[in-house]
């Protein structure tokens, strides 16, 4: 679940754009979209909080889960970056809280007083990923042409401290992209029915709010279900966020790498 949430945050933040007082063209929005990506990546020090509501199933029978999310990112020094995530989940009237910390090349997890740690691979470490991406963003920042045609439609309105962008992704475009990665290795089919989001950007070209709605169907030969998600996140404390590591990280139990087939024996048959 923590990887899903981290992935959703990264995807959502990647849609930030900022406007000005004049009427914006697609080229204007494209340039401001690029600026916001560069600003977010170069800052890499902020707090995200908000809520995520997920439901599985159809209208006749569905399972709902409400989550409160708090994420602190302190990547001022990318070689020693830290990220703390707290996810509070409410389901079936039960509430649980899980805490995950990325630091020192480990991912530390504290769930129901079970404290464990795992070595985090570079592909799962947001700071390693960012160090590899920054040179590409620097090149993009020098490009004064950005293609915003296709893939999604957008509108914008001015708000008190900046601009609010609404982006609607065309379902057929999302499905076409996903179909390129689906084959024998990925038996589950994903069909997007709706994917849209709004982003508030302030006059400093910083994202302050993200709302995303996703509606999709998932199926394979053994099951089919609907998946809906509503996410509302606030971004704040740019440049002042500090991640304080717990003093007992040495006591977290190290988990050894395992073969996935050991956890899912039927897949090994």
């Amino acid at each position: 679940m923590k990887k899903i949430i981290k992935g959703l945050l990264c995807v959502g933040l990647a849609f930030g754009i900022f406007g000005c007082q004049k009427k914006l063209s697609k080229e204007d929005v494209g340039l401001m979209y690029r600026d916001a990506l560069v600003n977010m990546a170069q800052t890499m020090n902020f707090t995200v909080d908000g809520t995520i509501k997920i439901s599985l199933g159809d209208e006749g029978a569905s399972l709902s889960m409400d989550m409160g999310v708090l994420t602190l990112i302190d990547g001022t020094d990318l070689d020693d970056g830290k990220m703390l995530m707290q996810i509070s989940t409410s389901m079936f009237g039960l509430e649980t809280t899980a805490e995950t910390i990325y630091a020192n090349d480990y991912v530390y997890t504290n769930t129901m007083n079970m404290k464990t740690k795992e070595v985090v691979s570079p592909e799962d470490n947001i700071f390693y990923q960012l160090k590899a991406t920054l040179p590409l963003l620097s090149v993009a920042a020098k490009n004064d042409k950005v293609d915003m045609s296709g893939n999604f439609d957008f509108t914008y309105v001015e708000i008190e401290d900046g601009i609010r962008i609404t982006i609607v992704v065309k379902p057929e475009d999302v499905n076409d992209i996903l179909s390129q990665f689906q084959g024998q290795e990925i038996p589950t089919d994903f069909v997007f029915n709706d994917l849209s989001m709004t982003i508030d950007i302030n006059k400093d070209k910083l994202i302050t709010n993200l709302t995303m709605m996703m509606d999709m169907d998932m199926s394979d030969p053994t099951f089919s279900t609907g998946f809906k998600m509503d996410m509302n996140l606030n971004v704040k404390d740019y440049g002042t966020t500090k991640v304080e590591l717990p003093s007992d990280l040495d006591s977290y139990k190290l988990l050894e790498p395992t073969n996935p087939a050991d956890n899912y024996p039927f897949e090994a048959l």
Side-chain angles (χ1 to χ4, degrees):
M1 178 62 72
K2 61 178 179 289
K3 290 185 179 180
I4 294 176
I5 299 302
K6 189 182 80 167
L8 289 173
L9 291 173
C10 291
V11 169
L13 291 175
F15 278 87
I17 48 183
F18 171 78
C20 54
Q21 297 299 317
K22 67 178 181 179
K23 181 68 176 178
L24 298 179
S25 65
K26 277 196 172 185
E27 290 75 16
D28 292 330
V29 174
L31 293 173
M32 294 166 185
Y33 167 84
R34 176 209 65 189
D35 290 345
L37 288 179
V38 174
N39 287 342
M40 180 67 73
Q42 290 181 338
T43 303
M44 206 57 190
N45 182 270
F46 46 82
T47 298
V48 180
D49 63 22
T51 59
I52 300 175
K53 181 179 179 64
I54 293 176
S55 62
L56 295 172
D58 53 32
E59 294 182 358
S62 62
L63 171 66
S64 296
M65 178 169 56
D66 295 318
M67 293 181 288
V69 177
L70 173 65
T71 301
L72 308 180
I73 298 179
D74 183 358
T76 305
D77 181 354
L78 296 183
D79 291 323
D80 190 29
K82 305 175 184 66
M83 180 169 70
L84 180 147
M85 297 180 65
Q86 291 180 342
I87 302 176
S88 301
T89 305
S90 176
M91 186 170 57
F92 302 126
L94 301 176
E95 294 186 0
T96 58
T97 298
E99 181 177 86
T100 302
I101 299 172
Y102 292 83
N104 309 325
D105 295 328
Y106 286 96
V107 54
Y108 302 86
T109 304
N110 184 356
T111 305
M112 300 178 67
N113 289 324
M114 295 182 59
K115 300 181 178 181
T116 59
K117 65 180 179 180
E118 300 174 83
V119 176
V120 60
S121 60
E123 58 268 22
D124 289 331
N125 188 316
I126 190 172
F127 302 106
Y128 288 156
Q129 295 170 2
L130 185 64
K131 286 177 66 176
T133 304
L134 277 177
L136 299 177
L137 290 175
S138 297
V139 172
K142 298 177 181 179
N143 179 17
D144 61 357
K145 298 292 184 183
V146 180
D147 184 8
M148 298 287 284
S149 61
N151 298 327
F152 57 84
D153 296 319
F154 68 88
T155 58
Y156 76 95
V157 295
E158 294 181 8
I159 56 178
E160 182 177 357
D161 188 40
I163 197 169
R164 174 170 295 154
I165 301 292
T166 299
I167 298 175
V168 179
V169 182
K170 300 175 182 178
E172 59 271 21
D173 289 336
V174 179
N175 292 329
D176 287 344
I177 294 172
L178 287 178
S179 66
Q180 299 177 25
F181 296 93
Q182 291 181 353
Q184 296 297 323
E185 297 83 5
I186 308 177
T188 302
D189 289 326
F190 300 89
V191 177
F192 277 81
N193 303 313
D194 198 358
L195 177 59
S196 60
M197 60 194 73
T198 62
I199 307 100
D200 291 352
I201 308 296
N202 67 17
K203 294 177 180 178
D204 294 324
K205 299 186 181 181
L206 296 173
I207 299 170
T208 58
N209 179 264
L210 166 71
T211 301
M212 181 164 66
M213 192 278 289
M214 180 186 300
D215 184 345
M216 61 185 291
D217 294 320
M218 302 183 295
S219 65
D220 71 8
T222 63
F223 84 100
S224 63
T225 185
F227 174 91
K228 293 183 179 181
M229 183 195 70
D230 289 294
M231 179 170 67
N232 190 335
L233 302 176
N234 302 303
V235 190
K236 56 189 179 182
D237 299 333
Y238 282 93
T240 62
T241 295
K242 297 294 182 184
V243 174
E244 299 294 339
L245 300 179
S247 59
D248 63 342
L249 289 182
D250 290 340
S251 68
Y252 282 54
K253 180 181 178 181
L254 178 64
L255 297 179
E256 298 296 334
T258 60
N259 184 340
D262 296 336
N263 298 323
Y264 304 98
F266 291 105
E267 295 184 6
L269 296 178

